[in-house]
Amino acid sequence: MSGETVPLDEALHRVLASDITSNTNIPSADRSAMDGYAVTAEDTFGASETNPVELRITGRVRIGEIPNIKVGRGEAAAVATGSYLPRGEVDAVVMVEYTRVSGDRLQIVKPVVPGQNVAKRGEDVKKGQVVVKKGTRIRPQDIGIIAALGVAEVPVVTRPRVTIISTGDELIDPGERRKEGKIYDINRHIIKAAVLEAGGEPLDLGIVGDNAEDIRTRLKQALASADIVLISAGTSVGERDLVPGILATLGEPGMLVHGISLRPGYPTGLAVVNGKPVVSLPGYPVSNAFAFRVIVRPLLARFLGSDVDTEPTVRARLARRVAAPGGLRTFVRVRLVETGDDESGLVAEPIMASGAGVISSLTQADGLLIIPEDSEGVDEGEEIEVVLLRPLKRKQNEAR
Amino acid sequence: MSGETVPLDEALHRVLASDITSNTNIPSADRSAMDGYAVTAEDTFGASETNPVELRITGRVRIGEIPNIKVGRGEAAAVATGSYLPRGEVDAVVMVEYTRVSGDRLQIVKPVVPGQNVAKRGEDVKKGQVVVKKGTRIRPQDIGIIAALGVAEVPVVTRPRVTIISTGDELIDPGERRKEGKIYDINRHIIKAAVLEAGGEPLDLGIVGDNAEDIRTRLKQALASADIVLISAGTSVGERDLVPGILATLGEPGMLVHGISLRPGYPTGLAVVNGKPVVSLPGYPVSNAFAFRVIVRPLLARFLGSDVDTEPTVRARLARRVAAPGGLRTFVRVRLVETGDDESGLVAEPIMASGAGVISSLTQADGLLIIPEDSEGVDEGEEIEVVLLRPLKRKQNEAR
């Protein structure tokens, strides 16, 4: 896990490489939390509309100004929200609404207690306090608190470089002229975007034909330039799956696992070559996407020293029974339908996709039902948890 | 709403400016969904282990190859997953597992029905079908289906330019030397990140002191270069709030609303100057953040022609009663605590922040309880919906 320093305003969504610890108190000294008058609280005790307390105004503290006036017992100074308290025995602020002024005489009609309307030194952030933790994916509010410390550069984890190769004689790239018998490569383009979303830096090594020597050359190039190597098979995982053999010639230990208990996504290979992870992903786009989700996303999180973000879920009732083969984790794409009779009622309709190649099932799905390895299916009407693939649009949207 | 064209691989999270309509069928012709043999289904009827059907193999269709062989009744051709079907009367594929081969003789031990293991032309995407709708914020899978059409450039909505100004004599910028009486500007840095997240292009116009002429000059500059102008007040919203008066001199109609029914966030001003929206945001960072959320985010969505993404929520029980002033939408920052006794049980603890200036309350909060204008509070133990401000980490994490 290597780090680098970036300007604060470029740190959004990067992963923090070390704790940000406050080198200061915020506020750095007692400040007024209201527009009004700084006083000694005890002087105001008993004040009321009919029996106001009268104090002498000795001056005014402006925002951004270091107070040079001093307030003693029987005295008050005008303050604004955010301005420092004057020196002396002041310990509270009376809101301007509860005062009347005549020349340098201040009448107070409501008492305050010590500390009232005062933001104490260090109340927001204490010196030495960790304000944002290492491993955090930086949000706008994290940038805010780092700015509050005066820090303009932040240590972030360097984005892991992920090389992406697609193999297959049948593949051409979007923008190329359509050719009978050829199909456009989808996987590389989805993966590049998914790597970006997961915090990695995608390096596109293009398409390589089903030729052992070409694949070997491209994999060597990938291993030389990347932290993680992803290679997607051609559409077929049959006769021409040359990758495991090639990896064996490139370094130790080579392919470790070929086939994982995932559906779709079974034909996934996991390899390590001279310390670098290589993931051989299935050619079918849907399988490819789920293998990415289950294997590559956590791998990237590991390189980043962060957690995989928990995804939003909703509860729904399953519209019809879905069978699952025991022993495989099964991903069922579902559409979510809001039922009229129940405000919060959602029904999940499984999308029947005849094959893992049906890319439209990925864009049409609102969410995923994930059936664990030890289950043989989910019954019609059962309440399930659905991982959202897009923000859920409710007919009845609450005020936000 | 103006548009531009970007390369597909740079389209992630941009908003699509027009529908993407398929100019082709996917698959473009009938294809095999399995490794096996293309046959006429009727020829296989009655086949079994003990009584196999025997056909003659006339050849093989490879992936990416336009078939030149023809298969008639009593014949079969080898196919691979994703390869085209041969010409002739074939209408199904027998999986290789249910066949035995000896020379050019193929024995089939299990019948298929017409259409079995075949991906029909247009089954995934039909020519003329809208595959991704205008206004969509592009996800990896959307990039996938656009790639499948061979489209390498996509029309996206130009990011609205948002100029950002902070005002206040007391403000200095992170990286500047700490000075007694000065505080670091937080709002501009949070806003820049939040504008980026919401799909806008932030233009930083820096800090300007509490001086009418300087503010006027900076606002003129902002109006000349932006689609939306945001100006954050200094810490005080009292005596020195010069913005409404200045806007009135810059163009019609000027300030329309000053003060919105939001807590925190009340001192927000909405203006239009010569057709351009100007939002005057409160100086306190927490108020600033909520005013951004309620006013600026939907404004950006409007410019983008998209919806504001619904945020993930969870149900929780409120740890203690929270009172709210009727007539104001109230945002309560909460911490979420998982209770041991109930697997899905979450308790929401309101964070008691003494003032809207307490920036640490924003980073410490796990979520928001939003109390609508017509409510006077929420009782202890009541089940509430919490908008998540960070991904929820569950102790018991399900297999994903």
Side-chain angles (χ1 to χ4, degrees), chain B residues 288-312:
Chain B
N288 196 282
F290 289 119
F292 184 94
R293 174 190 175 85
V294 174
I295 301 295
V296 183
R297 218 163 49 172
L299 190 60
L300 271 162
R302 179 67 177 263
F303 270 80
L304 286 161
S306 67
D307 294 319
V308 173
D309 280 354
T310 316
E311 291 170 298

Side-chain angles (χ1 to χ4, degrees), chain B residues 163 165 205 217-227 229 276:
Chain B
T163 54
I165 304 168
L205 289 192
T217 307
R218 203 70 65 97
L219 275 173
K220 263 179 94 165
Q221 192 185 340
L223 284 161
S225 55
D227 299 306
V229 175
K276 284 195 181 165

Side-chain angles (χ1 to χ4, degrees), chain A residues 348-390:
Chain A
E349 288 179 352
I351 296 177
M352 287 302 166
S354 70
V358 180
I359 168 78
S360 62
S361 70
L362 272 185
T363 51
Q364 282 166 14
D366 296 311
L368 291 179
L369 160 64
I370 303 173
I371 305 178
E373 292 82 342
D374 59 4
S375 162
E376 290 185 349
V378 182
D379 283 331
E380 179 180 332
E382 218 173 290
E383 191 177 294
I384 56 169
E385 196 175 359
V386 175
V387 176
L388 290 176
L389 291 177
R390 66 169 124 234

Side-chain angles (χ1 to χ4, degrees), chain A residues 305-322:
Chain A
S306 68
D307 294 320
V308 173
D309 280 354
T310 316
E311 292 169 299
T313 59
V314 290
R315 311 288 300 178
R317 293 200 176 278
L318 192 59
R320 58 174 173 277
R321 176 171 167 76
V322 175

Side-chain angles (χ1 to χ4, degrees), chain A residues 9 13 64 81 123-124 139 150 175 181 189 192 197 307 310 329 354 359-360 385 389 392-393 398 400, chain B residues 9 13 64 123-124 139 150 175 181 189 192 197 284 307 310 329 354 359-360 385 389 392-393 398 400:
Chain A
D9 289 338
H13 299 167
T81 311
E123 178 183 277
D124 195 348
R139 302 167 300 162
H189 302 282
K192 277 153 82 172
E197 268 193 347
D307 294 320
T310 316
R329 190 185 307 172
S354 70
I359 168 78
S360 62
E385 196 175 359
L389 291 177
L392 184 63
K393 291 201 174 64
E398 282 174 74
R400 289 279 149 76
Chain B
D9 289 337
H13 299 165
E123 178 184 277
D124 195 349
R139 303 166 300 163
H189 302 282
K192 277 154 83 171
E197 268 194 346
Y284 265 148
D307 294 319
T310 316
R329 191 184 308 171
S354 70
I359 169 77
S360 62
E385 197 176 359
L389 291 178
L392 184 62
K393 290 202 174 63
E398 283 174 73
R400 289 280 151 75

Side-chain angles (χ1 to χ4, degrees), chain A residues 98-333:
Chain A
Y98 302 118
T99 62
R100 291 193 287 263
V101 178
S102 153
D104 72 345
R105 307 310 297 173
L106 175 74
Q107 287 196 335
I108 294 170
V109 299
K110 204 178 168 186
V112 284
V113 296
Q116 196 167 341
N117 301 324
V118 171
K120 299 289 286 182
R121 175 173 194 259
E123 178 183 277
D124 195 348
V125 176
K126 283 187 182 47
K127 192 169 176 171
Q129 182 184 331
V130 173
V131 295
V132 192
K133 284 205 186 98
K134 176 181 169 173
T136 300
R137 198 177 289 262
I138 297 170
R139 302 167 300 162
Q141 53 267 53
D142 299 317
I143 288 180
I145 203 157
I146 297 171
L149 305 180
V151 174
E153 305 227 297
V154 288
V156 296
V157 180
T158 302
R159 290 193 178 96
R161 285 158 306 162
V162 182
T163 54
I164 300 160
I165 303 168
S166 282
T167 68
D169 285 338
E170 77 281 17
L171 297 178
I172 53 175
D173 242 335
E176 286 184 59
R177 228 182 108 187
R178 192 177 302 283
K179 264 197 222 108
E180 194 65 46
K182 303 286 182 187
I183 58 169
Y184 289 107
D185 186 19
I186 299 172
N187 294 329
R188 253 169 56 247
H189 302 282
I190 299 187
I191 292 173
K192 277 153 82 172
V195 164
L196 275 175
E197 268 193 347
E201 184 190 338
L203 301 173
D204 187 353
L205 289 191
I207 296 167
V208 54
D210 291 305
N211 170 300
E213 203 36 49
D214 291 349
I215 295 176
R216 192 171 184 279
T217 307
R218 204 68 64 97
L219 275 173
K220 265 179 92 164
Q221 192 185 340
L223 284 161
S225 54
D227 299 305
I228 298 171
V229 176
L230 304 181
I231 181 163
S232 295
T235 313
S236 167
V237 291
E239 42 182 328
R240 292 179 302 172
D241 199 0
L242 306 163
V243 172
I246 295 167
L247 285 174
T249 70
L250 288 175
E252 292 294 319
M255 194 65 85
L256 300 171
V257 170
H258 208 179
I260 58 175
S261 55
L262 213 63
R263 193 178 88 151
Y266 181 84
T268 299
L270 309 178
V272 172
V273 174
N274 302 331
K276 283 195 181 165
V278 179
V279 183
S280 161
L281 294 163
Y284 265 148
V286 178
S287 308
N288 195 282
F290 288 119
F292 184 94
R293 175 190 174 85
V294 174
I295 302 295
V296 183
R297 218 163 47 172
L299 189 60
L300 272 161
R302 181 69 177 263
F303 270 81
L304 285 162
S306 68
D307 294 320
V308 173
D309 280 354
T310 316
E311 292 169 299
T313 59
V314 290
R315 311 288 300 178
R317 293 200 176 278
L318 192 59
R320 58 174 173 277
R321 176 171 167 76
V322 175
L328 295 178
R329 190 185 307 172
T330 302
F331 291 89
V332 182
R333 287 139 275 163

Side-chain angles (χ1 to χ4, degrees), chain B residues 58-85:
Chain B
T58 63
R60 160 181 300 273
V61 186
R62 294 185 184 278
I63 290 180
E65 179 182 273
I66 304 156
N68 46 31
I69 54 166
K70 200 172 164 176
V71 170
R73 294 298 297 262
E75 295 179 333
V79 288
T81 312
S83 71
Y84 287 125
L85 294 193

